[in-house]
């Protein structure tokens, strides 16, 4: 008998989190090496950096972007910018395998014709975290966020529409994709402090791609 999937990855499965939100386990597993390779290429021209929040806090997650615009933060606020403030040049283009994966994942979760214009790339090392927040800097309030996990596993925090709502702790592993849009678009979410570890694809880090339809 020929196994369909290798020993350390399970068959893809879809778990409904809420109306408009799904966890697609293993959806990106086959493409994970290619996606990580593309991240390496992107960061040669737009390096990972630790952004400062308007409140003056330096984020523990390192970030960069690709696509028509990139998400940036500084003392003046959050915004989408067509120019990387670190280089003065446009962000690297969104690689075809990124776009392809995002469109297929969105469709699998019920969002046809997804057309993201930005991909925020997050890099977590041990201890790095992302506090509970809503993604609300995008003009399109219906198109989904597509979030792809690569490398070390993490605890993804999945809350509700109010900050005070109960929070579920979901283990996300390399190749898992979370999609939330429509009625779930403004759900609070975050990432618990990353546990130290070693992953064959990404070493001591977790990489996350979040696709957004900004305009
Ligand atoms: C985000 O909320 O932008 C990123 C979430 C993650 O790293 O899984
Ligand atoms: Fe987010």
């Amino acid at each position: 008998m020929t196994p369909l999937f290798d020993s350390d990855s399970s068959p893809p499965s879809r778990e409904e989190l809420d109306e408009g939100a799904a966890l697609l386990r293993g959806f990106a597993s086959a493409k994970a090496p290619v996606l990580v390779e593309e991240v390496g290429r992107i960061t040669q021209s737009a390096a990972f950096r630790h952004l400062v929040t308007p409140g003056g806090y330096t984020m523990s997650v390192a970030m960069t972007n690709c696509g028509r615009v990139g998400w940036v933060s500084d003392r003046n606020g959050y915004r989408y910018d067509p120019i990387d403030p670190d280089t003065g040049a446009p962000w690297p283009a969104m690689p075809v395998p990124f776009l392809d994966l995002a469109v297929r994942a969105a469709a699998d979760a019920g969002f046809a014709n997804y057309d993201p214009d930005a991909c925020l790339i997050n890099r977590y090392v041990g201890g790095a975290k992302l506090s509970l927040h809503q993604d609300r800097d995008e003009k399109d309030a219906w198109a989904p966020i597509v979030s792809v996990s690569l490398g070390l596993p993490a605890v993804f925090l999945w809350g509700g529409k109010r900050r005070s709502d109960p929070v579920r702790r979901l283990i996300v592993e390399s190749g898992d994709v979370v999609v939330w849009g429509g009625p779930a678009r403004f759900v609070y979410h975050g990432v618990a402090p990353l546990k130290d570890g070693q992953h064959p694809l990404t070493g001591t880090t977790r990489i996350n791609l979040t696709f957004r339809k900004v305009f």
Side-chain angles (χ1 to χ4, degrees):
M1 195 184 115
T2 312
L4 277 170
F5 302 94
D6 60 29
S7 54
D8 60 7
S9 65
S10 341
S13 72
R14 187 196 303 127
E15 184 182 324
E16 222 65 39
L17 297 176
D18 275 309
E19 195 191 344
L23 168 51
L24 313 176
R25 287 214 159 91
F27 192 91
S29 293
K31 292 287 183 232
V34 173
L35 300 176
V36 170
E37 200 179 300
E38 291 291 353
V39 170
R41 228 189 307 280
I42 288 163
T43 56
Q44 282 169 22
S45 44
F48 280 115
R49 76 290 305 266
H50 292 272
L51 297 170
V52 175
T53 66
Y57 166 81
T58 300
M59 298 179 77
S60 58
V61 179
M63 297 180 172
T64 188
N65 293 276
C66 65
R68 285 204 297 133
V69 289
W71 186 85
V72 288
S73 172
D74 58 26
R75 290 306 300 243
N76 300 317
Y78 310 119
R79 67 181 185 280
Y80 279 97
D81 201 318
I83 299 296
D84 175 352
D86 276 15
T87 63
W91 298 99
M94 197 182 291
V96 171
F98 275 36
L99 189 61
D100 174 69
L101 194 276
V103 170
R104 287 191 297 110
D108 198 75
F111 296 94
N113 307 117
Y114 188 45
D115 179 27
D117 32 41
C119 176
L120 173 66
I121 306 170
N122 297 136
R123 185 186 64 192
Y124 298 73
V125 296
K129 65 177 171 68
L130 199 59
S131 305
L132 214 58
H133 66 279
Q134 294 168 300
D135 293 344
R136 51 183 325 140
D137 301 324
E138 301 77 23
K139 289 202 182 73
D140 192 315
W142 186 264
I145 304 289
V146 173
S147 168
V148 181
S149 292
L150 300 165
L152 286 179
V155 174
F156 187 65
L157 307 172
W158 182 253
K161 284 180 193 155
R162 288 164 308 185
R163 187 177 285 281
S164 56
D165 286 339
V167 175
R168 286 151 75 182
R169 298 170 64 87
L170 310 166
I171 310 279
V172 284
E173 297 184 321
S174 194
D176 290 352
V177 180
V178 188
V179 179
W180 64 97
R185 181 59 180 73
F186 294 110
V187 168
Y188 277 90
H189 59 279
V191 176
L194 195 81
K195 256 185 74 176
D196 286 322
Q198 265 291 339
H199 193 279
L201 264 185
T202 59
T204 57
T205 71
R206 168 180 185 257
I207 305 279
N208 170 262
L209 315 176
T210 35
F211 296 88
R212 295 102 192 282
K213 175 85 185 110
V214 178
F215 300 110

